[in-house]
Amino acid sequence: MTAPPETAERPGPPADKKETRGSSGERGRPSTAAAFLLPASIVLLVLMLYPIGFSVVRSLFDASGSSFVGVDNYIRMFTEPETFKAIRNNVIWVVVAPTVVTALGLIFAVLTERVRWSTAFKLVIFMPMAISFLAAGIIFRLVYEQDPGKGVANAIVVGVHDLFATSSQYPDARPREPQALVPVDHGFETRASVRLGGTVSLPLIGFAPGKMPENATDASPVQGSAGAPDRIEGVVWLDFAKGGGGTPGQIDPNEKGMPGVTVQAIQTGTVIDTTKTGGDGRFTFTDLSPGSYTIRLPASNFAQPFDGVTWLGPDLVTPSIIAAYVWMWAGFAMVLIAAGLSAIPRDALEAARVDGGTEWQVFRRVTMPLLSPVLLVVFVTLVINVLKIFDLVYIMAPGSVQPEANVLALQMWLVSFGGGNDLGLGSALGIFLFVLVLPAMLFNIRRFRREGDR
Amino acid sequence: MSAVPDVGSAVGGGGSIHRGPVARLVGRMGSGVVQVGLVAIALFWLVPSLGLLVASFRPEAENNSSGWWTVFTQPAQLTVKNYENLLQNPAITGSFLNTIYITVPATLLVIVLASLAAYAFAWLEFPGRDWLFILVVGLLVVPVQVALIPVAQLYGALGIFGSRLSVILFHVAFGLPFAVFLLRNFFAGIPRDLLEAARMDGGSEWTIFRKVILPLGLPAIASLGIFQFLWVWNDLLISLVFASSDVAPLTVALQSQMRQFGANIDLLSSGAFLSLIVPLIVFFSFQRYFVQGVMAGSVK
């Protein structure tokens, strides 16, 4: 008796009517059946069927229910921006989520077919199905934390980003003498021009000494290079040391040079030469042609580090929540499709192979058609589920972004119970959701009747 | 769906290798590559849950200043303090009990009502039986949203709005179509000889139901019980609408904390873990029945 019940299947009619009617007394009596059916019928009638009818009527009345407004609530649904955004998001959900989940389920089911430890893999993927949307929502709020130091998604994104693009070393650093070193294009430039053979002192502050690069050594003063008329020398250092003291603008003991700072020599607005500072903060331009220069520390030195992606911001919030949904439901699709795969008769596949089909052809021409009823069931189930999505959006979208992430079921709750108190519009939204699942309902009924007739 | 006879092995059927239809296709792609890929996917799937688990064992200050993955280098930061606080928080422990007080009766009631009705649909004769059952199939997909407002008003008129009973009854109603559907299909597959034998012995329908149908239908009842249990345990929306704060379950209590997200990760992570550990235990203990329930419920 451990054979599982099969979905929507009607195992043969329980009794031949001619033979049994009248012959087995009690069983044919409607009163007996009524007694067994009564408790469930009352509950379904009062809490499901009556409410559907009531909602239809209620949706034609205004917020308080006192006056008849016809289809106004349905018109408002498509004209009020909040509700319309919810409908738009629901469309995105229905188009994207079931497709991705079904596709992933198919891929997982196919890949695990011949893997020895497939049970372990399936358990891992399937496990999220057992937990609540609330728990999944909290899990993914943690995943999507903005700070790359705390949220694992951004930690990964920033890590990958920094592999390919070096980030600036000195965010927030700024000149000690803002009059001498003025802001230009998010960088800084000397106000006074520098003559060849001259020296430049560029003290910076606003950067934590503890974050200095490892190769930073004590800054050393520049002597000047009067004997070399084609050079400009200078030093960039952190004009601050732990414990304080020292004279602003002068290199004091323990003050470190800032290595790796990009320095540009500028003549009449164009960059003539570029160099980088050494471990002691020193830099030298050589072979400069005569003239006067300004020295610039370009913006790249001070750019804020890449901070990751704003997953739950207005632009990405819906795709991010859909990703969490995929995480939860891929296992469902995988398990159903895997069961469908294992039920495909071997003969059909062998025959196709004998006929000389390649594996890809066999998969496309034989496996997929035989699997398509299962794929359809999975897809339809997911569509129904996605249409009603509420918890995940409600939990994951931060309050300020909620309007951007809104979906029908959430909007229905918001206008009816979450403060809106508009039971007319709420009923209309409920009926609208009901109408949207009607095709799925007909699909189920047809499937059930067809398989019953077999 | 005759295509899913092998549900047991789908998840829980041990490590036997299926020489499946696409096996050779995969073979060409290189089994080694596939295995490495699957390991990567499995790890990827585990990371989010692992993050919650680890965060729930880290002090508040650590959660606010560094990522959970730092435990791999500094395991000393782990602590059970969050759970101690959680279990001393009357709002959390109370709502945890509320979850049980709602889930257990809602599950048992559905089993009782549905098995009675399923027996009638499977083995008794009455006019309109097929049409009534098609109605049940149709009700499988009705969204709860269509009933929230009318039932709230009905509860208000009856004076039970906000009570535990109101939440339980709503769960029973929306659990019933699936429950009747699942059990009826299973009961109908019970060999007819067994029922006839009982009838010959003069057993009433009630006796047959109790002595033959219920014992033989136990696997399906177990599937249904687990599925309904998880559905009610994990629910947020229905309790959010109908439960007043003193009977609200854990999901509602945690949801009310989301507004301060970031400042209360210690509470939220340990609370979420408390909320999901019961479904996970149920899942791992009864995964075979659970998968059957999910499969049979692939219309809900």
Side-chain angles (χ1 to χ4, degrees):
Chain A
M1 283 321 301
T2 53
E6 296 177 352
T7 311
E9 173 129 20
R10 276 205 304 191
D16 184 323
K17 286 179 184 172
K18 255 183 197 154
E19 184 199 326
T20 52
R21 184 154 289 165
S23 68
S24 62
E26 197 186 5
R27 137 190 227 193
R29 251 187 278 143
S31 61
T32 312
F36 278 92
L37 286 172
L38 196 65
S41 307
I42 293 174
V43 172
L44 286 179
L45 204 63
V46 175
L47 296 178
M48 257 180 125
L49 290 172
Y50 154 76
I52 294 173
F54 182 96
S55 279
V56 172
V57 176
R58 187 64 185 81
S59 70
L60 304 174
F61 284 80
D62 67 354
S64 63
S66 52
S67 58
F68 183 82
V69 295
V71 294
D72 267 17
N73 288 320
Y74 293 92
I75 293 170
R76 284 173 59 203
M77 213 154 70
F78 290 93
T79 49
E80 286 184 3
E82 307 91 64
T83 318
F84 187 71
K85 195 170 274 171
I87 293 174
R88 192 205 62 185
N89 282 338
N90 250 88
V91 171
I92 296 175
W93 269 91
V94 168
V95 169
V96 176
T99 314
V100 174
V101 170
T102 310
L104 267 185
L106 178 63
I107 292 171
F108 291 171
V110 168
L111 289 185
T112 49
E113 264 229 309
R114 60 173 293 181
V115 174
R116 207 172 273 277
W117 46 279
S118 66
T119 304
F121 179 83
K122 284 175 176 169
L123 277 179
V124 167
I125 307 292
F126 195 68
M127 197 172 57
M129 266 230 67
I131 70 173
S132 61
F133 279 120
L134 171 102
I138 293 175
I139 285 174
F140 274 84
R141 278 294 286 267
L142 291 170
V143 167
Y144 287 140
E145 279 250 49
Q146 178 65 56
D147 181 352
K150 293 196 271 178
V152 69
N154 269 347
I156 292 169
V157 167
V158 168
V160 171
H161 174 272
D162 289 354
L163 276 184
F164 297 102
T166 49
S167 54
S168 75
Q169 282 174 302
Y170 304 106
D172 296 327
R174 60 182 195 276
R176 160 72 83 187
E177 295 152 343
Q179 314 85 354
L181 200 58
V182 296
V184 174
D185 287 345
H186 303 291
F188 301 100
E189 193 175 298
T190 52
R191 179 181 294 253
S193 55
V194 183
R195 289 174 182 284
L196 288 181
T199 63
V200 208
S201 293
L202 301 172
L204 299 180
I205 54 168
F207 186 78
K211 291 186 183 171
M212 288 291 268
E214 303 251 315
N215 61 342
T217 57
D218 284 353
S220 58
V222 277
Q223 279 83 35
S225 38
D230 61 345
R231 293 157 75 109
I232 294 178
E233 285 185 49
V235 59
V236 181
W237 84 100
L238 186 64
D239 192 15
F240 174 83
K242 264 203 176 137
T247 316
Q250 280 189 17
I251 298 176
D252 300 303
N254 285 333
E255 291 182 353
K256 302 283 187 198
M258 297 175 80
V261 176
T262 305
V263 189
Q264 294 170 330
I266 310 271
Q267 195 171 40
T268 59
T270 47
V271 178
I272 305 299
D273 200 4
T274 300
T275 185
K276 278 194 184 258
T277 56
D280 57 357
R282 296 269 298 265
F283 64 89
T284 309
F285 292 106
T286 53
D287 295 331
L288 292 174
S289 47
S292 72
Y293 293 84
T294 55
I295 302 300
R296 180 185 289 181
L297 305 178
S300 62
N301 294 314
F302 310 106
Q304 291 295 326
F306 176 62
D307 199 24
V309 178
T310 312
W311 300 102
L312 298 178
D315 297 330
L316 284 180
V317 64
T318 296
S320 299
I321 300 175
I322 290 177
Y325 180 89
V326 170
W327 177 80
M328 282 187 82
W329 281 79
F332 164 81
M334 173 190 69
V335 165
L336 274 161
I337 295 170
L341 272 178
S342 66
I344 288 178
R346 301 285 172 274
D347 311 0
L349 300 166
E350 287 308 324
R353 289 196 186 101
V354 169
D355 289 348
T358 65
E359 289 302 323
W360 177 243
Q361 281 173 333
V362 173
F363 182 73
R364 279 239 357 242
R365 305 262 167 81
V366 183
T367 308
M368 282 302 281
L370 287 172
L371 203 56
S372 60
V374 179
L375 294 178
L376 189 62
V377 168
V378 170
F379 191 82
V380 169
T381 306
L382 288 166
V383 168
I384 300 170
N385 191 278
V386 160
L387 274 174
K388 301 189 252 187
I389 191 83
F390 164 82
D391 317 39
L392 207 54
V393 180
Y394 184 51
I395 294 299
M396 280 183 68
S400 58
V401 192
Q402 199 185 56
E404 296 297 327
N406 210 348
V407 287
L408 278 170
L410 175 57
Q411 179 67 5
M412 187 272 160
W413 183 81
L414 287 172
V415 301
S416 324
F417 303 100
N421 217 13
D422 186 342
L423 299 186
L425 182 59
S427 298
L429 285 164
I431 292 297
F432 184 55
L433 271 175
F434 179 69
V435 170
L436 288 178
V437 301
L438 278 182
M441 185 185 285
L442 295 177
F443 171 84
N444 276 338
I445 290 174
R446 282 188 52 191
R447 186 162 62 102
F448 168 74
R449 298 192 64 170
R450 194 171 56 239
E451 296 190 5
D453 293 342
R454 205 176 38 203
Chain B
M1 280 323 306
S2 54
V4 290
D6 199 16
V7 275
S9 69
V11 153
S16 69
I17 309 170
H18 298 294
R19 289 302 305 180
V22 229
R24 290 184 207 180
L25 171 72
V26 176
R28 294 263 170 93
M29 290 161 64
S31 170
V33 176
V34 170
Q35 302 227 17
V36 171
L38 288 178
V39 170
I41 293 168
L43 290 178
F44 187 75
W45 236 255
L46 281 174
V47 163
S49 322
L50 186 66
L52 179 85
L53 179 64
V54 172
S56 73
F57 284 103
R58 297 177 79 215
E60 171 83 66
E62 293 287 344
N63 274 329
N64 280 332
S65 60
S66 61
W68 54 266
W69 51 89
T70 56
V71 291
F72 296 122
T73 49
Q74 302 145 26
Q77 59 185 266
L78 291 175
T79 170
V80 293
K81 192 84 186 123
N82 295 342
Y83 286 95
E84 284 174 20
N85 293 341
L86 192 77
L87 297 179
Q88 283 159 15
N89 184 336
I92 296 293
T93 49
S95 61
F96 184 77
L97 289 177
N98 283 338
T99 301
I100 295 172
Y101 296 152
I102 290 170
T103 308
V104 172
T107 305
L108 293 179
L109 262 175
V110 159
I111 289 175
V112 172
L113 298 195
S115 47
L116 285 171
Y119 177 61
F121 277 121
W123 290 103
L124 301 181
E125 282 164 22
F126 53 94
R129 185 180 70 180
D130 290 352
W131 285 107
L132 274 180
F133 195 67
I134 281 175
L135 177 68
V136 171
V137 174
L139 290 181
L140 281 172
V141 295
V142 171
V144 295
Q145 280 79 11
V146 80
L148 291 177
I149 291 172
V151 172
Q153 298 200 334
L154 185 69
Y155 283 165
L158 294 173
I160 59 168
F161 186 85
S163 68
R164 201 168 277 144
L165 178 68
S166 69
V167 181
I168 293 169
L169 282 179
F170 196 91
H171 275 302
V172 171
F174 276 79
L176 264 180
F178 166 66
V180 174
F181 178 75
L182 174 75
L183 293 185
R184 180 262 182 212
N185 286 350
F186 193 88
F187 289 173
I190 291 174
R192 202 174 143 188
D193 300 351
L194 294 172
L195 281 94
E196 292 300 338
R199 285 205 175 101
M200 291 301 175
D201 294 347
S204 67
E205 293 301 324
W206 173 243
T207 312
I208 294 169
F209 173 71
R210 276 189 326 153
K211 296 275 167 67
V212 180
I213 297 291
L214 286 189
L216 291 178
L218 217 51
I221 292 175
S223 283
L224 165 66
I226 289 156
F227 202 69
Q228 175 75 5
F229 179 91
L230 293 175
W231 194 50
V232 179
W233 185 281
N234 287 336
D235 162 72
L236 171 65
L237 175 60
I238 292 168
S239 297
L240 203 56
V241 171
F242 295 116
S244 60
S245 57
D246 53 326
V247 302
L250 187 55
T251 47
V252 174
L254 290 175
Q255 174 274 326
S256 68
Q257 290 285 330
M258 289 306 288
R259 219 169 282 227
Q260 289 101 44
F261 186 88
N264 52 5
I265 290 177
D266 53 333
L267 172 71
L268 274 175
S269 58
S270 54
F273 198 75
L274 179 68
S275 152
L276 66 76
I277 191 65
V278 172
L280 276 194
I281 289 171
V282 170
F283 170 68
F284 277 114
S285 316
F286 306 101
Q287 40 153 317
R288 185 174 289 260
Y289 294 118
F290 178 60
V291 171
Q292 285 168 14
V294 168
M295 290 208 160
S298 64
V299 282
K300 187 162 176 173

